[in-house]
Amino acid sequence: MRTPLCDRLGIDAPIVQAPMAGGWTTPALVAAVSEAGGLGTLAGGRVPADELGRLIEETRRLTGKPFGINLLDPAPTAPGPEDPAVPPILQSIRQRLGLPANPQSGATDYPSTDEALEIALAAKVPVVSFAMGSPRPYVERAHAAGALVAGTATTVAEAEEVEACGADLVVAQGAEAGGHRSTFAEWRADELPLVGTMALVPAIVDAVKLPVLAAGGIMDGRGLVAALALGAAGVQFGTRFLLASESGAPPSYRAQLLAADETSTVMTDVFSGRPARGIRNAFARLFHASGTRPLPYPRQGAAASDIYRASLETDAEWAILFAGQGLRLATREQPAAEIVRELLEEMQEVLNRLPTR
Ligand SMILES: Cc1cc2nc3c(=O)[nH]c(=O)nc-3n(C[C@H](O)[C@H](O)[C@H](O)COP(=O)(O)O)c2cc1C
């Protein structure tokens, strides 16, 4: 089934593999999804400049089909004089796991969004998507280089900004979605918009003329048809592709995904300092039970990076395990091309089953 999204992106199926920062969207995964007729997307957020170039080159080597790259553009949070100290609870977790105390800072030198965009455009990546911020500062440059631009919205107002700034696509990210909330309008800590996919997609479809990609909690062909029925031009699947054989998710992460269900995730800022949906593991439980506040984004992630890395080597109870609410439907690992094929077959079956007039 072709939708306006397919024509705009030059792909065969209205299926986008979501960018997933952390090293999970490998060139092999991105290329496999694009080769299968969808659009694979590299996560370019918080990737060092030379690594970004290498990932793009490797993906290009594996596929001649279109693929995308995603950049995170959060408003900077300048450290203030009253900036909190690293929570002592991190030291107690290190002790519990037998990790060295006071490790070297996990802070890495990442390119600015401008620099990362330059790398992507110079390499002629055909689609650039943005999250955590409006694409406004980057649209003109991307278009001049021949790239299409997608922006991520969690409210109608954000979708209207994505359209007004000249972007080509809008991703409607519902509250079921795994990973960070992409919310970029200012929000009060207790008023983060958490609009579910079912409510958000038709609201955005009504408000903008751009093709809309639905994201959040969608795991199978039923969800794909539902999203199209709501007016979306396609679906951006994240969690489903974490379990693709080609994803970079290590065995501990995969085991947690397979064991989890629809009740297993929580929206929390304890992992990175910014609200995100992930599996409620020992790390989240301990922070929540102790009432400890995390450092502001992105300092919390850097301060705990040694813990996250070490825990992924064992049971991932102390790692970041971002995932969406559709987890009960994540039942097995399979090649990415098989996932795309299965989604399309299920979509057809669902359409065949729908009552005809
Ligand atoms: C592990 C993980 C990492 C993510 N990282 C990013 C990212 O770097 N950029 C982005 O725009 N979205 C990111 N997302 C959100 C996805 O784009 C998408 O909104 C979400 O996966 C959809 O929900 P689902 O996981 O239920 O399919 C991430 C999601 C997950 C699960």
Side-chain angles (χ1 to χ4, degrees), residues 264-281:
S264 303
T265 69
V266 61
M267 183 69 70
T268 180
D269 58 3
V270 301
F271 290 112
S272 71
R274 203 184 151 98
R277 183 176 295 288
I279 292 178
R280 191 190 300 100
N281 59 3

Side-chain angles (χ1 to χ4, degrees), residues 71-99:
L71 303 177
L72 304 177
D73 195 36
T77 47
E82 73 297 349
D83 223 27
V86 175
I89 201 172
L90 292 181
Q91 282 302 6
S92 67
I93 296 173
R94 286 189 184 100
Q95 237 169 22
R96 187 192 286 235
L97 300 183
L99 297 175

